[in-house]
Amino acid sequence: MGRVGTKDLSQTLIPSDIWSSLCTKMGALRLPSLTSIFAVSSARSSLFSRRSKQLNVRKLTSAVKVFAKSTPATEVAPAESNQKLPVQEQGITPRSQDFNAWYLDVISMAELADYGPVRGTMVIRPYGYAIWEAIQDYLNIKFKETGHSNMYFPQFIPYSFIEKEASHVEGFSPELALVTVGGGKELEEKLVVRPTSETIVNHMFTQWIQSYRDLPLMINQWANVTRWEMRTKPFIRTLEFLWQEGHTAHATLEEAEREAMQMIDVYTKFSYEQAAIPVIPGRKSRVETFAGADKTYTIEAMMGDRKALQAGTSHNLGQNFSRAFGTQFADENGQRQHVWQTSWAISTRFVGGIIMTHGDDAGLMLPPRLASVQVVIVPIWKKANEKNEVLDAALSVKDVLHKAGIKVKLDDSDQRTPGWKFNFWEMKGVPLRIEIGPRDVSSRSVVISRRDIPGKPGKVFGISMDSSVLVPYIKEKLDEIQSSLLDKATAFRDSNIVDVSSYDELKEAISQGKWARGPWVGSDEDELKVKEETGATIRCFPFEQPQGPKKCLMTGSPADEVAIFAKSY
Amino acid sequence: MGRVGTKDLSQTLIPSDIWSSLCTKMGALRLPSLTSIFAVSSARSSLFSRRSKQLNVRKLTSAVKVFAKSTPATEVAPAESNQKLPVQEQGITPRSQDFNAWYLDVISMAELADYGPVRGTMVIRPYGYAIWEAIQDYLNIKFKETGHSNMYFPQFIPYSFIEKEASHVEGFSPELALVTVGGGKELEEKLVVRPTSETIVNHMFTQWIQSYRDLPLMINQWANVTRWEMRTKPFIRTLEFLWQEGHTAHATLEEAEREAMQMIDVYTKFSYEQAAIPVIPGRKSRVETFAGADKTYTIEAMMGDRKALQAGTSHNLGQNFSRAFGTQFADENGQRQHVWQTSWAISTRFVGGIIMTHGDDAGLMLPPRLASVQVVIVPIWKKANEKNEVLDAALSVKDVLHKAGIKVKLDDSDQRTPGWKFNFWEMKGVPLRIEIGPRDVSSRSVVISRRDIPGKPGKVFGISMDSSVLVPYIKEKLDEIQSSLLDKATAFRDSNIVDVSSYDELKEAISQGKWARGPWVGSDEDELKVKEETGATIRCFPFEQPQGPKKCLMTGSPADEVAIFAKSY
């Protein structure tokens, strides 16, 4: 449109001391902190050193572009210009160029998260945490509607608990953080910082469950968990993360199975309806089943680089933990039985999934239902005498939308040009932008731009400021964007899943970066061979299965089900 | 009333295997778990062994009374009788008899919390967690209204961080839990499990704050924290607890001071208006100031045993942490300055404060605004043919109240007599009970009982079921109870604060279990002497001060302020 421009700050003089502090700052924002105190695995270390080499030069340049925010106005003269910088020059590596660099850039520039001082930890900043809060708000209601109560278990678990369930200890022991000193004294038994709570939950369940009348027992907790991961990535895999973990106990296997399925269904609906992510729900293979579960159900999401993300899981634990901990009840005939259990979780990893599903070269793109800012208002004025009337109109539009329950932000700072603000809020993924200039004030109308449709096609002029017009218009557009994001992600997903009937076809699909879907009755060894040779794993046996007779792509034997293979995070 | 009775289960035959499992269960519910793995300090150990001796005998008896819940109906015949058991025989030690035993009984019997397997840890059960959720719901809105954003910092803090602020390390180092092993390897630098987050917050603030334009920076997190306490008590002092911690950075001392005061004011209003606890807000003495703060503001609550509970604090941290961590900003003249900071917190300890402020011999008493169940409906029928019409009416009353936004529960189980349910929900502290029997159905009216006014005086007959009558009546009663709890607690508080003008008078007041309020300009040594000789500490210099000239109760020197002395939790 060229209505307004972005100032090119690289043309501005910057005092050298501020420059150097800025360079330090930019480094600190994206590189592992100097205070990071652990040896890093070779995989990770190479990942980061590569990043740091690539980024330092670029960042020193791009730092200038984002500089004004932290510089006193007296030192950087506010300049107006009609030059519009390509977004990538503001610091974000284009997604199409380097997906991983783009992802880390978005997290940093959109202020979603930062590295913590301890290797592999993450500070979730307000704009990122707001996404997690929106996830919590939705799921918390669904959990309660389906009969679960929130509670809280201690995070310190006696080491001996972890050892009680054989496959559980095998799965988790390499990842444990251990507290060995408390109150200045060496502890007699070391404590595990919870990696998950099945063990302590069962320890408590034995005290609360006596009779079938105490069942089902259905609880959930929102908590932090710790897993000593070697290869970490913000949101996707961090040493400590936030999640909810549901835990239930039932009188019968059938009930537990129904519960496990119900909760994967809650996650699936959440993904489609709130996050606009067309996950594929299904069952994990034996190899990929949770350590301690009989069956694991999963929702698998395709990221923008076509790698799979396990975005949530629900486990039918059978009687594995109840037998290990003696969690029993007296049935209607007075017989002692072990309870049947489930557990299910979604974590802050899901935030990473949202970024990697919808984002584009310009940055983040948030689904309206999870966006903490759904509409940003950018007022535009050139002359001082225009400022008041424009700001008044912007404030009254803000007020109208706020009262209608729309999450709206007015960016009325005079430190930034409108053009800079356009780029900034696009990069932050805000679904709709409202522009109000002097001419709009005269005509009592606004200009509205969609984040998901760049440029002119996504821009509409002359929408009345009148609330009876504006409010329904905005609500409709938010709904349209919500659907459109889901449609786009679904089309992308479907065009990147290949139906295969032989191992060669599978290898071909995987080598093209796609997902392969084909009949499978292979052994665990066959599955591990595929992983070794292609890097792909069975993501799931999807619930939705094609009809008709099938032959295993690997063994040629008759197969009941197709599996989906993909490389994954 | 004798309308209905409680069945006396001690008259019922109980199979011996269930009896013995029951006895085990009751022990497990209230005694430190057998899996508790730490040496216990002598103070604590004697506390618990005393409790276990006292309780085991009584519990074996009382266990019979609460038995039916976990026993198949086929084994315990449902009997109706008009005998009503005194509440204390159901297992709660009367508050008037032993405050501490009463407190632990309430927590156990009302299913608020349980001991965790690790010494000093606590499992917060759904009914207790719901109180914490109500606290969160209110405060979260107030924090956002006052300009704070939620975020999340990692809980693992490099040990070196804690050492940076001199008085901070002195205050916290004896209480630290340390992670020394991660992923199977000894760590090079041990990690502190956060006892509070000022250090890591400052580490991150240095990266986010460059200019005065980045200020104020105002954030909050809801998190778990760990302090290796030796003497623990559920909710009041546990090894791990839940809290919110606000952290802010400002350009000036004055702004930081305003913020610290604003937040203690938010806490004070919350206490009065939501929790019905008439806290006394004020300033801590130097001796009692937070390790690392210039000033600590506090809200002090008087518990039912007249001991003080520090229920929330807000700290003006000055530049102590910003100097230790180098948290600086460029002011409007381009000069580097250290930021001025605050931090403030309320924790799950507050739940303990609610229990100990309002509870009575019959158990818990919840202020309506924090109660997860505000109204319980108990349907009453004798003959099978009455059951359907009574349940239909109860359901429709439930529906009417639910739609009006009242938190209502219908206890329609047929395993329990109405009398048992009356006692149970009284013990659980539900503010209002609605009884509906066959005669009420005929007259389309209900009977309503107030938890805070026992017996006949709190019972009203013949309130119409019509929603236009019932809903406003219930809302009015809930408001009345809310005010009444505050009034009662205020009267109790005021009648137990003694104005003193000499040390002798102070000692006399403290020895009577009261709070002493008197002019004070004593030294730190004088203050410690009072503590040693009387067990009382300065709880605060209250914001509300008497007018006129005063002389220090200890030194006789002119004093500007009165201080409040009390024994405390």
Side-chain angles (χ1 to χ4, degrees):
Chain A
M1 280 305 302
R3 286 171 62 141
V4 289
T6 312
K7 58 189 164 187
D8 183 349
L9 287 169
S10 63
Q11 305 303 318
T12 316
L13 280 178
I14 294 167
S16 67
D17 61 326
I18 298 186
W19 167 273
S20 81
S21 102
L22 179 74
C23 296
T24 312
K25 181 190 178 190
M26 294 310 295
L29 276 171
R30 58 187 46 261
L31 299 174
S33 157
L34 293 175
T35 53
S36 183
I37 53 172
F38 295 113
V40 163
S41 79
S42 61
R44 177 165 175 94
S45 137
S46 70
L47 178 76
F48 270 111
S49 59
R50 184 173 64 75
R51 290 279 305 144
S52 69
K53 275 172 213 144
Q54 280 186 353
L55 286 175
N56 269 348
V57 179
R58 190 165 55 76
K59 284 307 152 198
L60 295 188
T61 320
S62 68
V64 185
K65 311 299 191 299
V66 293
F67 178 68
K69 184 168 173 247
S70 51
T71 305
T74 48
E75 293 177 316
V76 180
E80 294 274 342
S81 119
N82 282 314
Q83 265 185 286
K84 180 159 172 163
L85 291 169
V87 169
Q88 62 269 31
E89 282 193 50
Q90 294 201 350
I92 293 189
T93 308
R95 200 185 94 142
S96 44
Q97 182 184 310
D98 180 340
F99 194 83
N100 186 55
W102 166 84
Y103 178 72
L104 296 177
D105 283 355
V106 168
I107 285 174
S108 168
M109 305 296 282
E111 301 179 324
L112 298 170
D114 255 335
Y115 293 110
V118 173
R119 179 197 67 79
T121 63
M122 168 178 68
V123 180
I124 308 180
R125 302 185 69 179
Y127 198 65
Y129 196 81
I131 302 174
W132 181 238
E133 283 182 307
I135 294 173
Q136 290 185 300
D137 287 348
Y138 174 93
L139 288 179
N140 217 14
I141 290 170
K142 294 295 165 196
F143 295 161
K144 289 184 180 178
E145 280 175 3
T146 45
H148 306 89
S149 302
N150 284 335
M151 60 177 302
Y152 188 75
F153 290 87
Q155 75 164 338
F156 292 156
I157 300 174
Y159 190 81
S160 57
F161 280 27
I162 304 288
E163 292 174 311
K164 285 196 185 182
E165 210 285 332
S167 62
H168 195 64
V169 65
E170 195 188 318
F172 280 102
S173 67
E175 294 185 356
L176 300 177
L178 302 180
V179 173
T180 62
V181 176
K185 286 190 185 132
E186 201 74 33
L187 303 180
E188 284 178 36
E189 181 178 4
K190 53 195 183 233
L191 301 178
V192 172
V193 185
R194 87 181 134 224
T196 182
S197 300
E198 280 77 6
T199 58
I200 193 167
V201 164
N202 266 277
H203 175 77
M204 299 311 299
F205 274 16
T206 59
Q207 300 175 29
W208 301 332
I209 298 170
Q210 301 298 319
S211 135
Y212 71 96
R213 295 197 184 283
D214 301 323
L215 300 175
L217 183 51
M218 313 207 327
I219 61 95
N220 176 64
Q221 77 172 349
W222 294 93
N224 56 344
V225 270
T226 297
R227 295 180 187 177
W228 210 266
E229 302 279 1
M230 281 301 135
R231 298 186 59 171
T232 59
K233 188 185 182 82
F235 290 112
I236 298 304
R237 183 173 280 109
T238 48
L239 223 94
E240 180 192 5
F241 55 96
L242 304 181
W243 77 352
Q244 60 67 216
E245 49 179 324
H247 295 274
T248 68
H250 307 266
T252 65
L253 167 62
E254 293 68 32
E255 250 187 71
E257 178 65 16
R258 256 201 311 279
E259 166 75 4
M261 289 292 282
Q262 169 181 258
M263 298 324 287
I264 205 70
D265 191 49
V266 166
Y267 292 158
T268 305
K269 284 209 177 72
F270 164 74
S271 302
Y272 275 81
E273 293 170 12
Q274 302 293 309
I277 300 181
V279 294
I280 295 183
R283 193 186 78 254
K284 284 283 183 194
S285 68
R286 271 189 308 275
V287 170
E288 300 281 332
T289 292
F290 174 75
D294 280 356
K295 283 184 186 169
T296 290
Y297 301 113
T298 179
I299 48 172
E300 297 289 323
M302 184 184 284
M303 301 293 97
D305 60 354
R306 300 180 296 181
K307 281 169 84 172
L309 185 78
Q310 175 182 306
T313 49
S314 178
H315 313 294
N316 183 335
L317 303 172
Q319 295 179 317
N320 300 325
F321 287 93
S322 65
R323 287 185 185 278
F325 283 83
T327 317
Q328 290 181 296
F329 70 102
D331 69 15
E332 302 195 27
N333 305 315
Q335 299 296 308
R336 305 288 287 166
Q337 306 267 4
H338 289 99
V339 299
W340 299 85
Q341 294 182 283
T342 80
S343 66
W344 28 276
I346 265 189
S347 76
T348 37
R349 158 176 268 213
F350 207 100
V351 176
I354 291 168
I355 302 168
M356 290 201 284
T357 299
H358 301 302
D360 64 9
D361 282 357
L364 192 60
M365 197 179 313
L366 287 174
R369 291 195 191 142
L370 297 179
S372 60
V373 181
Q374 297 172 311
V375 179
V376 64
I377 303 172
V378 178
I380 300 165
W381 66 87
K382 302 239 172 191
K383 302 166 199 154
N385 63 354
E386 295 166 346
K387 181 175 173 178
N388 280 350
E389 58 169 25
V390 167
L391 279 187
D392 281 354
L395 268 169
S396 89
V397 167
K398 179 191 171 187
D399 200 45
V400 158
L401 297 181
H402 178 74
K403 281 193 180 127
I406 294 161
K407 292 169 184 156
V408 56
K409 183 180 176 67
L410 168 60
D411 184 353
D412 58 0
S413 108
D414 48 13
Q415 301 303 309
R416 301 298 202 170
T417 63
W420 188 94
K421 292 177 185 174
F422 289 5
N423 290 339
F424 181 72
W425 292 107
E426 268 171 34
M427 185 268 289
K428 297 266 266 187
V430 173
L432 284 177
R433 176 178 76 230
I434 293 180
E435 306 161 24
I436 304 178
R439 268 187 298 167
D440 303 310
V441 174
S442 317
S443 64
R444 298 258 319 136
S445 69
V446 299
V447 180
I448 298 180
S449 295
R450 282 173 66 150
R451 171 65 179 87
D452 63 328
I453 306 178
K456 266 190 187 168
K459 201 155 188 167
V460 178
F461 295 83
I463 303 298
S464 167
M465 284 182 196
D466 195 85
S467 73
S468 68
V469 177
L470 186 61
V471 168
Y473 184 88
I474 294 282
K475 288 191 171 172
E476 193 189 316
K477 287 297 143 192
L478 290 174
D479 284 346
E480 270 180 44
I481 295 170
Q482 183 78 31
S483 312
S484 165
L485 291 186
L486 179 61
D487 291 346
K488 213 161 68 181
T490 307
F492 179 75
R493 180 198 73 181
D494 291 343
S495 67
N496 283 291
I497 301 181
V498 181
D499 282 306
V500 298
S501 53
S502 70
Y503 187 36
D504 279 344
E505 286 177 20
L506 182 149
K507 284 194 272 196
E508 170 69 10
I510 298 298
S511 74
Q512 289 172 357
K514 298 189 173 186
W515 292 15
R517 178 173 49 203
W520 185 265
V521 284
S523 64
D524 294 357
E525 289 69 34
D526 291 333
E527 191 177 336
L528 292 170
K529 179 185 160 196
V530 174
K531 185 175 183 180
E532 216 162 89
E533 294 180 355
T534 71
T537 49
I538 294 185
R539 303 317 303 157
C540 68
F541 294 93
F543 293 145
E544 209 182 296
Q545 286 283 337
Q547 298 297 307
K550 292 172 276 284
K551 275 189 186 170
C552 176
L553 67 91
M554 182 65 88
T555 64
S557 309
D560 287 336
E561 295 174 296
V562 298
I564 289 177
F565 291 79
K567 291 185 180 170
S568 73
Y569 280 100
Chain B
M1 281 306 303
R3 286 172 60 143
V4 288
T6 313
K7 58 188 162 186
D8 184 349
L9 287 168
S10 64
Q11 306 302 319
T12 316
L13 279 178
I14 295 165
S16 67
D17 61 326
I18 298 186
W19 167 272
S20 81
S21 102
L22 180 75
C23 296
T24 312
K25 179 189 179 190
M26 295 309 295
L29 275 171
R30 57 189 44 262
L31 300 174
S33 157
L34 292 176
T35 52
S36 181
I37 54 173
F38 295 113
V40 163
S41 79
S42 61
R44 178 168 174 90
S45 136
S46 70
L47 178 76
F48 271 111
S49 59
R50 184 175 63 76
R51 290 277 306 142
S52 69
K53 274 172 214 146
Q54 280 186 354
L55 286 176
N56 269 348
V57 179
R58 190 166 54 74
K59 285 304 153 198
L60 294 187
T61 319
S62 68
V64 185
K65 310 299 191 300
V66 294
F67 178 69
K69 185 168 172 246
S70 51
T71 305
T74 49
E75 294 177 316
V76 180
E80 295 273 341
S81 120
N82 281 312
Q83 262 186 288
K84 180 161 172 163
L85 291 169
V87 169
Q88 60 269 30
E89 282 193 48
Q90 294 200 350
I92 293 188
T93 308
R95 200 184 93 141
S96 45
Q97 182 184 309
D98 180 340
F99 194 83
N100 185 55
W102 167 83
Y103 178 72
L104 296 177
D105 282 355
V106 168
I107 285 174
S108 166
M109 304 296 283
E111 301 180 323
L112 298 170
D114 254 335
Y115 293 110
V118 173
R119 179 198 68 80
T121 63
M122 169 178 65
V123 180
I124 308 179
R125 301 185 69 180
Y127 198 66
Y129 197 81
I131 302 174
W132 181 238
E133 283 182 307
I135 294 173
Q136 290 185 301
D137 287 347
Y138 174 93
L139 288 179
N140 217 14
I141 289 170
K142 293 295 166 196
F143 295 162
K144 289 184 180 178
E145 280 175 3
T146 45
H148 306 90
S149 301
N150 283 337
M151 60 178 300
Y152 188 75
F153 291 88
Q155 76 164 338
F156 291 157
I157 300 174
Y159 190 80
S160 56
F161 280 28
I162 304 287
E163 292 174 309
K164 285 195 184 184
E165 210 285 331
S167 62
H168 195 64
V169 65
E170 195 188 317
F172 280 102
S173 66
E175 294 185 358
L176 300 178
L178 301 180
V179 172
T180 62
V181 176
K185 286 189 186 135
E186 200 75 34
L187 303 180
E188 285 178 35
E189 182 179 4
K190 53 194 181 232
L191 301 179
V192 172
V193 185
R194 86 181 135 224
T196 182
S197 301
E198 280 77 8
T199 58
I200 193 167
V201 163
N202 266 275
H203 175 78
M204 299 311 299
F205 274 14
T206 59
Q207 300 175 30
W208 301 332
I209 298 170
Q210 302 297 319
S211 135
Y212 71 95
R213 294 196 186 284
D214 300 323
L215 300 176
L217 183 52
M218 312 205 331
I219 61 96
N220 176 64
Q221 78 172 350
W222 295 94
N224 55 343
V225 271
T226 298
R227 296 178 186 178
W228 210 265
E229 302 279 1
M230 280 301 134
R231 297 187 58 169
T232 59
K233 189 184 180 83
F235 289 114
I236 297 305
R237 183 174 280 110
T238 48
L239 223 94
E240 180 192 6
F241 55 96
L242 303 181
W243 76 352
Q244 60 68 216
E245 48 180 325
H247 295 274
T248 68
H250 307 266
T252 65
L253 167 62
E254 294 67 33
E255 248 186 73
E257 178 64 18
R258 257 201 311 279
E259 166 76 3
M261 289 293 282
Q262 169 180 259
M263 299 323 289
I264 205 69
D265 191 49
V266 166
Y267 292 158
T268 305
K269 284 209 177 71
F270 164 74
S271 302
Y272 275 82
E273 293 170 12
Q274 302 293 310
I277 300 182
V279 294
I280 295 183
R283 193 186 77 252
K284 284 284 183 193
S285 68
R286 271 188 309 274
V287 170
E288 300 282 332
T289 292
F290 174 76
D294 279 356
K295 283 182 186 170
T296 289
Y297 301 113
T298 179
I299 47 172
E300 298 288 324
M302 184 185 284
M303 301 294 96
D305 61 354
R306 299 179 298 182
K307 281 168 84 171
L309 185 78
Q310 176 181 305
T313 49
S314 178
H315 313 294
N316 183 333
L317 303 172
Q319 295 179 316
N320 300 325
F321 287 93
S322 65
R323 286 184 185 279
F325 283 81
T327 317
Q328 290 182 295
F329 69 102
D331 69 14
E332 303 196 27
N333 304 314
Q335 300 295 308
R336 304 289 288 166
Q337 307 266 6
H338 288 98
V339 298
W340 300 86
Q341 292 181 284
T342 80
S343 66
W344 27 276
I346 265 189
S347 76
T348 37
R349 158 176 267 214
F350 207 100
V351 176
I354 291 167
I355 302 167
M356 291 201 284
T357 299
H358 301 304
D360 65 9
D361 282 355
L364 192 61
M365 198 179 313
L366 287 174
R369 291 195 189 140
L370 297 180
S372 59
V373 181
Q374 296 172 313
V375 179
V376 63
I377 303 172
V378 178
I380 300 164
W381 66 88
K382 301 240 174 193
K383 302 166 200 151
N385 63 354
E386 295 165 347
K387 182 175 173 179
N388 279 351
E389 59 169 25
V390 167
L391 279 186
D392 282 352
L395 269 169
S396 90
V397 166
K398 179 190 171 187
D399 199 44
V400 158
L401 296 181
H402 178 73
K403 281 192 180 127
I406 294 162
K407 290 168 187 159
V408 57
K409 184 180 175 69
L410 167 60
D411 184 352
D412 58 1
S413 108
D414 49 13
Q415 300 304 308
R416 300 299 203 170
T417 63
W420 188 94
K421 292 177 185 175
F422 290 4
N423 290 338
F424 181 73
W425 293 108
E426 268 171 34
M427 185 267 290
K428 297 267 265 188
V430 173
L432 283 177
R433 177 178 75 232
I434 292 180
E435 305 160 24
I436 304 178
R439 268 186 298 165
D440 303 309
V441 174
S442 318
S443 63
R444 299 259 318 136
S445 70
V446 299
V447 180
I448 299 180
S449 295
R450 282 172 67 149
R451 170 66 179 87
D452 63 327
I453 305 177
K456 266 191 187 170
K459 199 156 190 169
V460 178
F461 295 83
I463 304 297
S464 167
M465 284 182 195
D466 194 87
S467 72
S468 68
V469 176
L470 187 61
V471 168
Y473 184 87
I474 294 282
K475 287 191 172 173
E476 194 190 315
K477 286 299 143 190
L478 290 174
D479 284 346
E480 271 180 43
I481 295 170
Q482 183 79 31
S483 312
S484 166
L485 291 186
L486 179 61
D487 291 347
K488 214 161 68 181
T490 307
F492 179 75
R493 180 197 73 179
D494 292 344
S495 67
N496 283 291
I497 302 180
V498 181
D499 282 305
V500 298
S501 53
S502 70
Y503 187 35
D504 279 346
E505 287 177 18
L506 183 150
K507 284 193 273 196
E508 170 68 12
I510 298 299
S511 74
Q512 289 171 359
K514 299 188 172 186
W515 292 15
R517 177 173 50 202
W520 185 264
V521 286
S523 63
D524 295 356
E525 289 69 35
D526 290 334
E527 192 177 335
L528 292 171
K529 179 184 159 198
V530 174
K531 184 175 184 180
E532 214 162 274
E533 294 181 355
T534 70
T537 50
I538 294 185
R539 303 316 304 157
C540 68
F541 294 94
F543 293 144
E544 209 182 297
Q545 286 283 336
Q547 298 296 307
K550 293 173 275 286
K551 276 188 185 169
C552 176
L553 68 91
M554 182 65 88
T555 65
S557 309
D560 287 336
E561 295 174 296
V562 297
I564 290 177
F565 291 80
K567 291 184 180 171
S568 73
Y569 281 99

